[in-house]
């Protein structure tokens, strides 16, 4: 339940269920003991399957292999790989020995890879051999001379991986138990680099307590049990995959289903059908791609009951189709950020369509949120837009090696300042109205792109839309609509778009510019890079 409403934009989640005090390794062992013969992990591309008993044994073997390689508590182990079972094994094995796993974006190239390895001080790097034409081995060779702490490189599927696993024979179960006895749930266990739009990304440092509890509560909120099978086409290197996905699944004895190394709409629906998945994850663009498959209606998705849509604002019309056509009656929207492990707000299983499509839910148990005036820091009355802040077990330990940058976003009261503009309603549900940096100011009027995007999703010829502000000599900024059409052979003109908006939006919100695109520039985690749209299509 949520605490009673007050006049101010503050609320906190309460629950009779306490927070977990486990380390990730101890929590996994509880699942292994409770459900040894249930499936824990299925890799659809390779056909490999793990029961909880086998998964626990393979995690232990890899953990002992890492100990044999001299990985100490607090050492950084990098994982630079696409979605595969080995990624999941590394996640839990590093946690069992108290190492800090460093997630590396599969899209990184030499410059970014080298920065992350140096900044976090990775000693052992575990990587795929390559993906989509990129040779990871070659890129590692290029950057290794400038990464003095990098002492070992392991490539999944090659002899170096087999040697790492084989090294377990030199370490006893007792030695592993001795290491585990030294661990605390408050120890750092993971560094995730946030995708910076300017400069280098920052490494959000997260503890066992941060991410295990967040995964558990996300799973609780969608009602997971050992009966659930969760299809994860979202990348593991991101919180969506490894926290809301993997940790949310294993903390409930459910099954992780990997449909493909990276997102493929047909492979995702095929995995749901073949593995009888009960839950499906995705960012809105993934669900849009699945719904737009020419043979979408041929897939049997009747096993689905729930899932999570997150990562970026979720269009109302897309959510309606997911509920109606994908059988996901209990689908949940989650809101959060890497720095908060990631989820702070989530819709509930029994929420009506308005709450599920018009909000990002209400605060999760054991978390506080408030909406403040971004200039004064004062908590605003309910219903007024301001910056969303969150506090609780989920707030990161800090940015790795960057205390000054940490202090810019986590204040003295341990509130995380999200940079998102939100409205907290009287019923405790929150609406995200935009990013502070994305807000368009036209002639002194504040314009929230999210509002215009939601409206334009209702246009019968528009499949997807992003709204950004671009410079204007007189008004400071003007509104640009970047549109992907349902049928490229049926183009849309700016005059037609403006006519559609004219009687329904205030005049200053009506787009004055239009670009028809085939696709949006995206991050690997599925977020649209609005900064690229602003730069590419600004008036010259």
């Amino acid at each position: 339940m949520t605490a009673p409403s007050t006049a101010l934009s503050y609320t906190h989640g309460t629950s009779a269920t306490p927070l977990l005090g486990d380390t990730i390794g101890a929590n996994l062992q509880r699942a292994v003991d409770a459900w040894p013969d249930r499936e824990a992990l299925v890799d659809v591309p390779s056909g490999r399957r793990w029961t909880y008993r086998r998964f626990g044994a393979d995690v232990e073997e890899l953990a002992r292999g890492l100990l044999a390689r001299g990985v100490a508590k607090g050492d950084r182990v990098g994982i630079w790989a696409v979605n595969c079972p080995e990624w999941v094994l590394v996640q839990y094995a590093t946690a069992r020995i108290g190492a800090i796993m460093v997630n590396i974006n599969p899209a990184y190239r030499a410059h970014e890879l080298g920065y992350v390895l140096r900044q976090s001080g990775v000693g052992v790097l575990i990587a795929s051999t390559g993906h989509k034409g990129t040779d990871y081995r070659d890129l590692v060779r290029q950057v290794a001379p400038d990464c003095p702490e990098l002492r070992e490189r392991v490539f999944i599927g090659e002899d170096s991986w087999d040697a790492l696993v084989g090294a377990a024979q030199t370490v006893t179960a007792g030695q592993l138990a001795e290491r585990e006895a030294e661990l605390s749930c408050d120890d750092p266990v993971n560094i995730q680099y946030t995708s910076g739009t300017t400069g280098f990304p920052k490494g959000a440092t997260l503890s066992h307590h941060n991410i295990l509890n967040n995964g558990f509560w996300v799973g609780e909120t969608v009602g997971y049990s050992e009966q659930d099978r969760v299809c994860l086409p979202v990348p593991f290197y991101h919180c969506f995959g490894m926290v809301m996905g993997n940790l949310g699944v294993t903390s409930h004895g459910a099954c992780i289903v990997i449909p493909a190394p990276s997102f493929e709409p047909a492979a995702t629906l095929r995995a749901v059908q073949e593995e009888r998945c009960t839950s499906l994850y995705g960012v809105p663009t993934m669900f849009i791609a699945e719904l737009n498959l020419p043979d979408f209606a041929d897939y049997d998705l009747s096993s689905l009951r729930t899932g999570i849509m997150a990562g970026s604002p979720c269009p109302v019309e897309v959510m309606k189709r997911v509920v109606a056509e994908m059988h996901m009656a209990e689908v949940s929207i989650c809101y959060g950020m890497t720095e908060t492990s990631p989820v702070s707000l989530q819709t509930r299983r029994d929420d009506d369509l308005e709450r599920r499509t018009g909000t990002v839910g209400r605060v999760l148990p054991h978390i506080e949120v408030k909406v403040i005036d971004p200039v004064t820091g004062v908590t605003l009355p309910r219903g007024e837009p301001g910056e969303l802040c969150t506090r609780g077990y989920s707030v990161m330990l800090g940015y790795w090696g960057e205390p000054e940058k940490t202090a810019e976003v986590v204040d003295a009261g341990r509130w995380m300042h999200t940079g998102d503009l939100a409205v907290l309603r009287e019923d405790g549900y929150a609406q995200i109205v935009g990013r502070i940096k994305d807000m368009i100011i036209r002639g002194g009027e504040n314009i929230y792109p999210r509002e215009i995007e939601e409206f334009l999703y209702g246009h019968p010829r528009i499949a997807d839309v992003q709204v950004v502000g671009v410079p204007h000599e007189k008004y400071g900024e003007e509104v640009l609509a970047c549109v992907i059409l349902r049928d490229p052979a049926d183009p849309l003109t700016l005059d037609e778009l403006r006519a559609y908006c004219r009687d329904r939006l205030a005049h200053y919100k009506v787009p004055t510019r239009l670009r028809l695109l085939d696709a949006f520039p995206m991050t690997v985690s599925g977020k649209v890079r609005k900064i690229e749209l602003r730069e590419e299509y600004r008036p010259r």
Side-chain angles (χ1 to χ4, degrees), residues 53-76:
R53 180 186 286 109
R54 182 188 165 199
F55 182 69
D58 283 1
V59 166
E60 178 173 325
E61 184 178 43
L62 181 57
R64 286 166 39 217
L66 289 166
L67 283 182
R69 288 291 197 260
V71 178
K73 177 184 174 182
D75 280 0
R76 273 76 67 208

Side-chain angles (χ1 to χ4, degrees), residues 90-379:
V90 170
Q91 176 181 348
Y92 289 85
T94 50
R96 283 199 64 176
I97 65 171
I100 302 172
M101 183 176 70
V102 179
N103 299 9
I104 304 174
N105 187 328
Y108 278 178
R109 294 299 178 261
H111 181 62
E112 300 146 313
L113 173 65
Y115 172 79
V116 165
L117 294 176
R118 288 190 301 275
Q119 203 275 332
S120 61
V122 165
V124 176
L125 175 64
I126 300 173
S128 299
T129 55
H131 183 58
K132 291 186 175 177
T134 299
D135 186 338
Y136 285 11
R137 291 163 298 191
D138 183 55
L139 290 180
V140 173
R141 277 193 296 270
Q142 288 179 38
V143 304
D146 296 319
C147 300
E149 295 185 61
L150 181 62
R151 66 178 188 272
E152 184 163 4
R153 315 167 209 173
V154 177
F155 290 97
I156 295 166
E158 295 200 337
D159 290 346
S160 55
W161 172 266
D162 295 335
L164 173 62
V165 174
Q169 296 174 12
T170 65
V171 173
T172 67
Q175 288 171 299
L176 175 59
E178 286 175 14
R179 171 65 62 82
E180 289 187 285
E182 302 172 6
L183 307 184
S184 160
C185 67
D186 292 318
D187 291 336
V189 74
N190 184 214
I191 298 174
Q192 300 205 26
Y193 281 85
T194 60
S195 49
T197 52
T198 57
F200 284 106
K202 301 180 291 291
T205 308
L206 303 168
S207 68
H208 295 258
H209 195 65
N210 286 150
I211 60 177
L212 175 59
N213 274 288
N214 204 257
F216 172 76
W217 281 105
V218 168
E220 282 288 283
T221 305
V222 293
Y224 283 159
S225 75
E226 71 276 12
Q227 305 294 326
D228 281 292
R229 301 174 68 79
V230 184
C231 184
L232 296 177
V234 293
F236 288 151
Y237 90 88
H238 190 271
C239 269
F240 201 170
M242 67 159 283
V243 179
M244 299 155 68
N246 296 343
L247 289 171
V249 170
T250 60
S251 61
H252 290 87
C255 180
I256 298 164
V257 176
I258 303 174
S262 59
F263 175 62
E264 298 173 28
T268 300
L269 297 188
R270 193 160 53 247
V272 170
Q273 175 177 279
E274 293 174 357
E275 295 297 326
R276 306 305 293 158
C277 293
T278 58
S279 177
L280 173 61
Y281 286 16
V283 297
T285 51
M286 291 180 176
F287 284 102
I288 290 168
E290 290 154 9
L291 289 162
N292 287 343
L293 285 172
D295 60 348
F296 169 78
D298 296 340
Y299 292 94
D300 178 4
L301 309 179
S302 59
S303 59
L304 289 173
R305 69 165 179 87
T306 189
I308 293 173
M309 194 189 295
S312 60
C314 307
V316 173
E317 294 304 316
V318 174
M319 175 60 79
K320 288 178 179 175
R321 288 193 67 195
V322 166
V323 170
E325 300 174 37
M326 299 182 80
H327 306 280
M328 294 169 61
E330 298 177 14
V331 65
S332 180
I333 284 186
C334 290
Y335 163 83
M337 61 193 307
T338 304
E339 291 89 337
T340 57
S341 301
V343 179
S344 303
L345 298 151
Q346 186 172 353
T347 58
R348 302 315 200 250
R349 298 167 68 188
D350 57 353
D351 278 343
D352 59 23
L353 193 61
E354 186 278 326
R355 283 180 170 144
R356 196 176 281 147
T357 59
T359 79
V360 291
R362 53 191 168 93
V363 67
L364 284 179
H366 307 291
I367 289 176
E368 300 171 88
V369 297
K370 65 178 179 179
V371 175
I372 64 167
D373 182 313
V375 177
T376 66
V378 172
T379 304

Side-chain angles (χ1 to χ4, degrees), residues 280-511:
L280 173 61
Y281 286 16
V283 297
T285 51
M286 291 180 176
F287 284 102
I288 290 168
E290 290 154 9
L291 289 162
N292 287 343
L293 285 172
D295 60 348
F296 169 78
D298 296 340
Y299 292 94
D300 178 4
L301 309 179
S302 59
S303 59
L304 289 173
R305 69 165 179 87
T306 189
I308 293 173
M309 194 189 295
S312 60
C314 307
V316 173
E317 294 304 316
V318 174
M319 175 60 79
K320 288 178 179 175
R321 288 193 67 195
V322 166
V323 170
E325 300 174 37
M326 299 182 80
H327 306 280
M328 294 169 61
E330 298 177 14
V331 65
S332 180
I333 284 186
C334 290
Y335 163 83
M337 61 193 307
T338 304
E339 291 89 337
T340 57
S341 301
V343 179
S344 303
L345 298 151
Q346 186 172 353
T347 58
R348 302 315 200 250
R349 298 167 68 188
D350 57 353
D351 278 343
D352 59 23
L353 193 61
E354 186 278 326
R355 283 180 170 144
R356 196 176 281 147
T357 59
T359 79
V360 291
R362 53 191 168 93
V363 67
L364 284 179
H366 307 291
I367 289 176
E368 300 171 88
V369 297
K370 65 178 179 179
V371 175
I372 64 167
D373 182 313
V375 177
T376 66
V378 172
T379 304
L380 294 166
R382 293 217 177 185
E384 290 193 18
E387 184 180 18
L388 184 70
C389 299
T390 183
R391 179 168 71 177
Y393 75 82
S394 59
V395 175
M396 66 175 178
L397 299 177
Y399 292 124
W400 183 264
E402 298 190 277
E404 303 85 4
K405 291 208 179 332
T406 303
E408 290 173 9
V409 295
V410 181
D411 67 24
R414 287 295 295 167
W415 286 99
M416 177 75 205
H417 291 248
T418 67
D420 282 324
L421 292 164
V423 172
L424 189 63
R425 308 191 319 188
E426 285 295 335
D427 61 4
Y429 284 72
Q431 295 169 309
I432 304 299
V433 295
R435 293 282 293 166
I436 289 176
K437 64 183 182 184
D438 286 343
M439 187 172 69
I440 302 167
I441 305 176
R442 180 190 182 276
E445 298 278 7
N446 291 349
I447 301 171
Y448 304 113
R450 173 91 167 110
E451 177 190 1
I452 305 172
E453 289 163 358
E454 284 291 358
F455 171 72
L456 291 178
Y457 274 115
H459 194 291
R461 289 154 69 189
I462 292 177
D464 205 353
V465 58
Q466 295 292 320
V467 170
V468 297
V470 292
H472 187 275
E473 204 170 289
K474 179 178 178 182
Y475 295 111
E477 287 187 289
E478 61 180 330
V479 178
L480 164 66
C482 298
V483 166
I484 297 174
L485 295 172
R486 292 189 183 279
D487 180 3
D490 183 20
L492 181 71
T493 68
L494 177 61
D495 286 343
E496 289 171 327
L497 183 72
R498 289 173 61 81
Y500 179 79
C501 297
R502 195 166 289 123
D503 296 330
R504 300 174 182 87
L505 290 178
H507 71 91
Y508 61 88
K509 299 177 185 177
V510 176

